[in-house]
Amino acid sequence: ALARHIHNNSNRAGKPFVTINCGSIPENLIESELFGYASGAFTSASKKGKPGQVELADGGTLFLDEIGLLPYNLQSKFLQLIQEKTYTPVGALKSKTVDVRIISATNENLKNFIKEKKFREDLYYRLRVIELFIPPLREREDAIEMLAKNFLEKYNKKFGKTKSITSTAISILKGYSWPGNIRELQYVMERTIITSSNDVITSEDIPPLHDAESYRETCTNESSMTIVETQNFNAAVEEFEKKLLLRAYEKYKSSYKVADALGITQTKAYRLLRKYNISS
């Protein structure tokens, strides 16, 4: 989103904005995908050849996501593109000239990659002319609601829906650490819009989040009980149930979040919390 914002507010706004994820293309295809290929470059190649993403971005912006996953043997070719504004398509004898702005992004520690000989140091410094650090989503709780509603609007348009979201559902989203950052939030919102049955998305419509799954596993593993010989089955179940609820409420302080963490409805969570005098 930031890369597109930069493009749209620059003198290249009327030109192409091309995005490519360096980690999503098989290594044997990424060179031809990026730089294109000449006629007869390989067996299945088109007789006319094919332009690559670099050529398609001519005059505009090329956004390289997950730049740290770019194969090492291609990094020198990108260095040439940045320094000389030229590149050579696969199987071609002559180089081409192109005018592109390159924006790159990564979640990896490129300095460690340099030490491990996975990333070229000279390319790192050529890309690092202007460096912007975007904190992870878990450190920007205030941005979660805005992003969630933005994705809601996007997928409402895509799927022809008019769904809204409750403040409680937003609270569930804010209580999650989002290890997959914005992409994970986008996926969750898209999935929720598709799977929810009503026009209003509630906390019960939010799919199980990773932290909640891990928490349920932790509760199950840690909440061991000692069952005395005189204790009947129902008493043992209630003791275990109470421990789970206590742990969950101590962490989340909300019946909605407890319900999500334990995989039960909010109504049931509220009833059980009252039963054991846990909620205030």
Side-chain angles (χ1 to χ4, degrees):
L2 178 59
R4 185 173 285 279
H5 178 77
I6 292 170
H7 172 79
N8 290 341
N9 288 275
S10 72
N11 57 5
R12 295 176 183 260
K15 300 294 183 178
F17 177 84
V18 177
T19 298
I20 190 159
N21 188 312
C22 299
S24 66
I25 303 172
E27 189 168 340
N28 62 325
L29 297 178
I30 192 167
E31 183 175 10
S32 59
E33 181 69 22
L34 285 168
F35 298 105
Y37 58 82
S39 173
F42 44 87
T43 306
S44 59
S46 168
K47 292 181 179 179
K48 295 181 180 180
K50 183 183 176 182
Q53 299 297 319
V54 170
E55 185 173 345
L56 295 176
D58 192 17
T61 301
L62 179 67
F63 176 47
L64 300 169
D65 202 4
E66 299 297 349
I67 186 68
L69 302 179
L70 183 68
Y72 194 85
N73 63 319
L74 283 184
Q75 293 176 22
S76 59
K77 204 162 181 175
F78 260 101
L79 187 62
Q80 177 189 344
L81 176 66
I82 295 169
Q83 294 182 158
E84 302 174 19
K85 297 186 177 180
T86 63
Y87 70 96
T88 306
V90 176
L93 299 176
K94 293 183 179 180
S95 61
K96 291 188 174 185
T97 301
V98 72
D99 174 26
V100 294
R101 172 198 283 128
I102 294 178
I103 300 177
S104 58
T106 184
N107 289 317
E108 308 290 347
N109 187 323
L110 292 185
K111 288 187 176 180
N112 286 343
F113 275 26
I114 291 169
K115 291 177 183 178
E116 296 167 6
K117 304 298 182 184
K118 293 180 180 178
F119 202 84
R120 292 178 62 109
E121 187 172 15
D122 47 6
L123 177 59
Y124 171 74
Y125 286 110
R126 288 297 298 173
L127 288 170
R128 200 186 166 194
V129 176
I130 298 175
E131 185 176 31
L132 300 174
F133 174 71
I134 303 175
L137 197 54
R138 65 178 176 272
E139 296 177 12
R140 295 183 290 146
E141 185 180 312
D142 293 343
I144 291 174
E145 181 172 0
M146 177 191 69
L147 288 167
K149 289 182 176 178
N150 180 61
F151 291 134
L152 181 67
E153 182 181 350
K154 175 181 177 178
Y155 291 115
N156 267 336
K157 288 180 181 178
K158 180 177 179 179
F159 300 117
K161 306 289 186 180
T162 55
K163 297 190 176 185
S164 59
I165 187 168
T166 65
S167 57
T168 342
I170 291 290
S171 296
I172 294 292
L173 299 177
K174 285 183 175 182
Y176 181 52
S177 66
W178 300 105
N181 281 309
I182 294 176
R183 281 197 194 91
E184 187 180 5
L185 174 59
Q186 181 175 358
Y187 159 75
V188 167
M189 289 306 300
E190 182 178 17
R191 177 180 168 184
T192 302
I193 289 169
I194 293 171
T195 58
S196 58
S197 54
N198 299 314
D199 286 339
V200 179
I201 295 170
T202 69
S203 58
E204 293 188 10
D205 296 314
I206 304 296
L209 302 175
H210 184 272
D211 276 1
E213 293 294 332
S214 299
Y215 179 72
R216 282 198 286 273
E217 290 176 10
T218 302
C219 282
T220 303
N221 291 334
E222 292 182 357
S223 299
S224 57
M225 298 181 297
T226 302
I227 302 176
V228 296
E229 292 181 3
T230 57
Q231 190 175 27
N232 64 30
F233 177 78
N234 288 335
V237 169
E238 286 192 349
E239 182 179 335
F240 184 70
E241 190 174 62
K242 185 176 180 179
K243 282 188 176 182
L244 285 177
L245 288 160
L246 275 169
R247 288 178 186 274
Y249 193 77
E250 284 172 3
K251 181 172 182 178
Y252 295 109
K253 308 296 184 185
S254 158
S255 62
Y256 293 99
K257 293 183 180 181
V258 167
D260 189 67
L262 297 180
I264 57 179
T265 66
Q266 192 273 334
T267 303
K268 184 174 182 179
Y270 180 76
R271 177 174 57 79
L272 290 172
L273 289 168
R274 284 179 60 86
K275 174 183 176 181
Y276 296 112
N277 295 317
I278 295 173
S279 58
S280 55

